[in-house]
Each structure stands twice: as structure tokens, then as C-alpha cells.
Amino acid sequence: MNSNSEKLSHAVFFALALSSISALVLITVFILVQGAPIIAEIGLFKFVFGMTWAPLKGEFGIFPMIVGSVSATIGAAILGVPIGICCAIFLAEFAPPLMRNIFRPAIQLLAGIPSVVYGFWGLIFIVPSIRDHLGGPGLSILAGSIILAIMILPTVISITEVSILALPSSYKEGALALGLNRWQTISSVILPAAKSGIIAAVILGIGRAIGETMAVIMVLGNAVALPESVLDPVRTLTTNIGIEMGYAVGAHRQALFATGIVLFVIIMVLNTTAQYIARRK
Amino acid sequence: METPIKKMNTTSKANERIAIAVIWAAAIFVLALLVSIIVHILFNGLPYITWEFLTQIPRNMGRDGGVSSTIVGTFLITIVAIAIALPMGIGTAFYLAEYTRENIVTKIIRFSAESLAGIPSIVYGLFGFIFFVISLDLGWSILSGGLTLALMILPTIIRTSEEAIRAVPVVFREVSYSLGATKFQTIFKAVFPSAMRGIVNGTILSIGRCVAETAAVILTAGSALRMPSSLSSPTRTMAVHFYILAREGISMENAYGTAALIMIIIFLINIVANTIVNRFIAKSR
């Protein structure tokens, strides 16, 4: 009897363990089934590199949104990654215990704040100051990049910190014993040794930025056009779905799912790369 | 005259000072940013959180009245999400930690969980809409929203639970087996109680994610303002309510009030989660 119940419990746990696999498969299949037909109809090249998004005329080209997503994300990485890495070094190497006990929960809180709140805060603070001091409508790539930079901080900080802390203490001790000062130890020994973890942190942060929707809807301006400067408004792949999904039907809805496919593929490539890099030691 | 070595030492010392100053500045800047966001929302929102605000349903598109139905909606969606994700997540964690060695199956499970963790919430929204709302015909409802969120928080529950299970000392299992317990009994009587704190911590953080989520919920639970009557009623969560109030400029007062309420909840969730972790660390020392 015991061995039967053992077998049963093993089977139950195994079945539960398949939940994440089935979820991933279901998500992939349903998004593909909804979006692939219209990509096939329009042609992948015309869909991805098309310049016009006019749902009422049946024209679906998402190139301006790809440019929007990529530019806002690059901006976020430029602003957020250096700050994030500095914070991680601070936590791992410099923070006095009291600061560490304040800083870690603070980063966790930063990760917990809803994206709509970030977007709203950006709308109230960042957008007007860009409009007043730098010109343009304020709703812009720059505003989006700043908000996204803040939002990717928890990801960049925590993964970088973990990879620094995972290094054997002999690395640091050896470097210090050779007479390097603390900064030389960090810049020439610790950061190079933690490189793969840091790269994974940056890639995951980029993935987070590309996937963010609600915060950027509020600050990017959402215009479907190629931007000429960082002060121009753009629409991203995510905001395209977020704005139009509420009322889209027929081919329009399919085209939004197709936008989702493009987003999904970008994210899967980024995440798989990050997982691969993080595992390779 | 300075010797070359001395010169090198002074520059490297200067470099060190600059680098340390930059690192401290970055950390303080981030803290200041966080404080400024929190203070801004609370300062502008707390005055609107009154008993009426908490207990009345929104009227006039949310211009008047309170937010009671959105509180109930958020609560029910979160309950559904946790009720679905918890057994799946804990089960997966036990399977990974106790029932198998690393092999191709565990690799695929881990890959799936990590991929799920990276999928943007808007894609969960698309999926939830086409799968739960349309294909399973659940409509825009608490059920559809909760099921979608369940998939979103699954990776967090799996990861935190597995870490907690692996942190349970091997001795616990050995003693249990030596007393003649079966594997299942060992897991439930010896391992599970010790891993409880870590699992609760992961669950609390997941509750926070459910409360904060907007994109996935708006596409699957809708944005109805009336008080939900069952799990198949459409609803509007607090985060969605805040988003609609702020974006459509319906009422800045109520938007700030709702945002402050969400922030207080997130704050409490984080405090509880941290207390649990700290006690856990204190206990294991």
C-alpha cells in the first residue's frame, strides 16, 4: 500500500511540475495561432519593416514601434545600467551594515511599486521638466528611458550583486594582498570575474524594459512615427497592444497578436541568451 | 620631486576616492528617488483616503464615491491567482528538489519557469484574453484575471519554494527516514513545515505582484466598476482603476487616493515579507 501511495505522490508532484511547461507551451501556441495568419497574409518583411500602421485601412507595419521599443530601451540601459552596477558594488563591497539593511529592502520596494505609479510619477515630474527645459512635447523617448531606467534598477542591482557575492573570497583577498587598493580590486579583479553575471543582469534588465507597458504608455506620447530625436514621442510594441487591444476586432486584433509575437520572440531570445550566459561560468 | 611609484600611488588613490564617491552617490541617488516617489504619492493621496473612500463604490466613472468595489475585485483576483499558483508552484518545487536529480526534464522545467518569468505582462494579457476570456468562454471576469495572474506568479512561487526546500537541512530528512517514514511523509511532516517561511515569503511577494499588475488584468478581468457578485463577474482592480482615472484625467484626487492606497498595501506586503525572512535568518543562526 505504501509503495502505491508513494508512486501516486510521485506522479502528482510530476504532474504539478509540468504546469510551467504546459503554461509556456499554451502561451506560445495561442499567441502564434492568433497572430501568425495575418503575418503570413501581409508577409513577414512587410509587417516588420512596414512604415504605416493604419488599422482602419488594413495596413499593418510595425517598424516605427520596433524603433520606439529599441530606442526607449537603449536609453534605459544607458541611464540605468551604470547606476545599477554602482549600486550593486555598493551593496556587495562598500555599504555599512546599517545602509545595507536599508538599501536591500528599498530595492525590493522599488521592484514592488506598480508600473502605473512609475508612469504617473513620470507624467507629473519628468514630462513637464523635459518640456520646459529641453523643448518638444515632453512626452518623449527621453521621458520613457528615464522611467524605464528606474524600473530596471532592481533587476540589474540584484543579479549583479548576487554574481559579485558568488565569487570566491580568495579573489578579493589575493588582489588586496598584492597591494591593490579597493577600487583597483573591484575594477580589475571583481568586475571581470563577475562579468557573465553582470551581462545576464543587463540582458534581463533590457528584457524588462522592452516588455514594460503601462508606465511607458503614460510618458512616451504613443505617436506612430519614426523619431528624429530623443525628445520626440514614440509608440512601442507593448503600448501598441495596450492602447488598441480594448477595441480591436478582426484583422486589427490579429495584427496586435502579431505584434505580440514579435515582442515574444525578442524576449525569448534575450532571456535564453541571459540564461545561457548566466550558466556558463 | 615625486618618484614614479609615488606618483602612481597618488593617482590610484585619487581614482579610488573618485570611484568610491561615485558609488556612494549612485546609491544615495537611488534611495532619494525611491523616497521622492513614495512621498509624492502619499503626500498627495493620503488626504483622500477616508472611511467613505474605502467603503463606497465608485460613482460617475470614478469621479465621485470611493473605491470599495476595486478593493474587493483586487482581493478576489489575488485569491484566485494564489489558490491556483500555490499548489502548482510548490508541487513543482518539491518535484525539483526532492523527487529527481538534474536531468533533461528538470532542465526543461527550469527553462520554462525562467522563460515565464521573463514574458511581459502584456503578453500574459493577450494570452489570458484569447485563452481564458474567449476560448474557455470565461468572459472578462475575476476568474480569467486570476488564472492569468496565476501563470504570471508561478515562476516566483517555484523559485522561492525551491530555495526554501533546499535550505532545509538534510538531517531532517535522514531522521524522518530513520524513523520509518515514507518519502511522502518525510516531505509533508519534516521538510514542508521547515520550508514554510520561505514559501510564505514567496507567496506574499506574489500577492504584491497581483496587486500591482495592470496590463494583464485590464485585458482579462475588464474594467467594470460595479461590485462583483461572483467569480465570473467582470471587475476592475485598484491598479487598473488608478490607471484609468489618471490617464483619462477623470479625477486626480481619486487617482492619488487610489495610488496611495496601493502604495500602502505594497509597503505592508514588503514589511511582512522582510520580517519573515529576517526571523528565518535569525532562527537558522
Side-chain angles (χ1 to χ4, degrees), chain A residues 19-73:
Chain A
S19 59
S20 59
I21 303 177
S22 5
L24 184 63
V25 171
L26 275 177
I27 292 172
T28 314
V29 168
F30 270 81
I31 304 280
L32 275 179
V33 165
Q34 286 299 312
I38 192 131
I39 296 183
E41 196 182 301
I42 300 173
L44 180 64
F45 188 85
K46 253 187 103 183
F47 180 68
V48 171
F49 292 101
M51 297 297 296
T52 324
W53 177 267
L56 293 177
K57 293 187 205 146
E59 284 186 67
F60 304 106
I62 59 165
F63 193 66
M65 293 124 181
I66 294 180
V67 173
S69 282
V70 170
S71 52
T73 302

Side-chain angles (χ1 to χ4, degrees), chain A residues 161-186:
Chain A
E161 192 206 352
V162 166
S163 63
I164 292 177
L165 291 178
L167 297 176
S169 59
S170 57
Y171 284 29
K172 192 168 134 190
E173 287 155 8
L176 292 172
L178 287 171
L180 298 185
N181 66 34
R182 287 212 288 174
W183 172 241
Q184 287 168 328
T185 306
I186 289 166

Side-chain angles (χ1 to χ4, degrees), chain B residues 208-238:
Chain B
R209 257 198 101 187
C210 292
V211 173
E213 182 50 40
T214 314
V217 180
I218 202 169
L219 295 180
T220 52
S223 54
L225 277 172
R226 61 177 181 279
M227 188 60 85
S229 55
S230 77
L231 290 185
S232 47
S233 310
T235 195
R236 182 189 286 198
T237 63
M238 286 184 277

Side-chain angles (χ1 to χ4, degrees), chain A residues 116 120 123 214 217-218 222 242-243 246-247, chain B residues 60-63 218 223 225 236 239-253 255:
Chain A
V116 276
F120 182 68
L123 191 64
M214 298 325 250
I217 279 189
M218 292 166 117
N222 306 322
I243 291 169
Y247 57 85
Chain B
N60 208 351
M61 304 292 288
R63 207 166 279 118
I218 202 169
S223 54
L225 277 172
R236 182 189 286 198
V240 173
H241 188 53
F242 165 64
Y243 168 72
I244 291 174
L245 290 182
R247 185 163 149 75
E248 296 180 5
I250 293 171
S251 158
M252 276 317 216
E253 290 84 5

Side-chain angles (χ1 to χ4, degrees), chain A residues 5-281:
Chain A
S5 69
E6 279 305 293
K7 268 183 200 149
L8 181 69
S9 74
H10 191 120
V12 168
F13 280 118
F14 182 66
L16 290 170
L18 294 180
S19 59
S20 59
I21 303 177
S22 5
L24 184 63
V25 171
L26 275 177
I27 292 172
T28 314
V29 168
F30 270 81
I31 304 280
L32 275 179
V33 165
Q34 286 299 312
I38 192 131
I39 296 183
E41 196 182 301
I42 300 173
L44 180 64
F45 188 85
K46 253 187 103 183
F47 180 68
V48 171
F49 292 101
M51 297 297 296
T52 324
W53 177 267
L56 293 177
K57 293 187 205 146
E59 284 186 67
F60 304 106
I62 59 165
F63 193 66
M65 293 124 181
I66 294 180
V67 173
S69 282
V70 170
S71 52
T73 302
I74 291 177
I78 291 173
L79 297 171
V81 167
I83 298 180
I85 293 178
C86 283
C87 287
I89 297 173
F90 175 76
L91 266 179
E93 299 291 334
F94 290 106
L98 176 70
M99 268 302 266
R100 195 174 298 148
N101 288 341
I102 297 173
F103 205 69
R104 271 217 193 98
I107 298 303
Q108 202 185 2
L109 189 61
L110 203 63
I113 293 178
S115 51
V116 276
V117 170
Y118 283 112
F120 182 68
W121 184 81
L123 191 64
I124 301 283
F125 279 104
I126 310 287
V127 170
S129 40
I130 291 177
R131 190 172 50 219
D132 296 345
H133 299 295
L134 300 172
L139 298 162
S140 56
I141 297 177
L142 183 60
S145 297
I146 294 173
I147 295 303
L148 288 175
I150 301 173
M151 295 183 68
I152 64 173
L153 281 175
T155 310
V156 175
I157 295 174
S158 57
I159 301 174
T160 305
E161 192 206 352
V162 166
S163 63
I164 292 177
L165 291 178
L167 297 176
S169 59
S170 57
Y171 284 29
K172 192 168 134 190
E173 287 155 8
L176 292 172
L178 287 171
L180 298 185
N181 66 34
R182 287 212 288 174
W183 172 241
Q184 287 168 328
T185 306
I186 289 166
S187 63
S188 58
V189 177
I190 292 181
L191 290 183
K195 195 176 68 190
S196 59
I198 296 173
I199 294 173
V202 172
I203 295 175
L204 289 175
I206 286 174
R208 176 104 209 266
I210 284 203
E212 180 47 46
T213 311
M214 298 325 250
V216 287
I217 279 189
M218 292 166 117
V219 298
L220 275 180
N222 306 322
V224 190
L226 283 184
E228 283 169 4
S229 86
V230 291
L231 299 177
D232 285 343
V234 285
R235 181 182 287 199
T236 64
L237 294 168
T238 53
T239 50
N240 191 40
I241 304 170
I243 291 169
E244 299 190 353
M245 195 56 203
Y247 57 85
V249 286
H252 185 193
R253 184 193 281 171
Q254 288 186 330
L256 293 179
F257 272 92
T259 312
I261 295 179
V262 174
L263 185 63
F264 186 74
V265 170
I266 295 174
I267 294 287
M268 287 302 282
V269 169
L270 286 174
N271 283 343
T272 314
T273 315
Q275 286 185 36
Y276 173 75
I277 291 175
R279 291 235 176 85
R280 193 194 59 184
K281 278 284 147 99

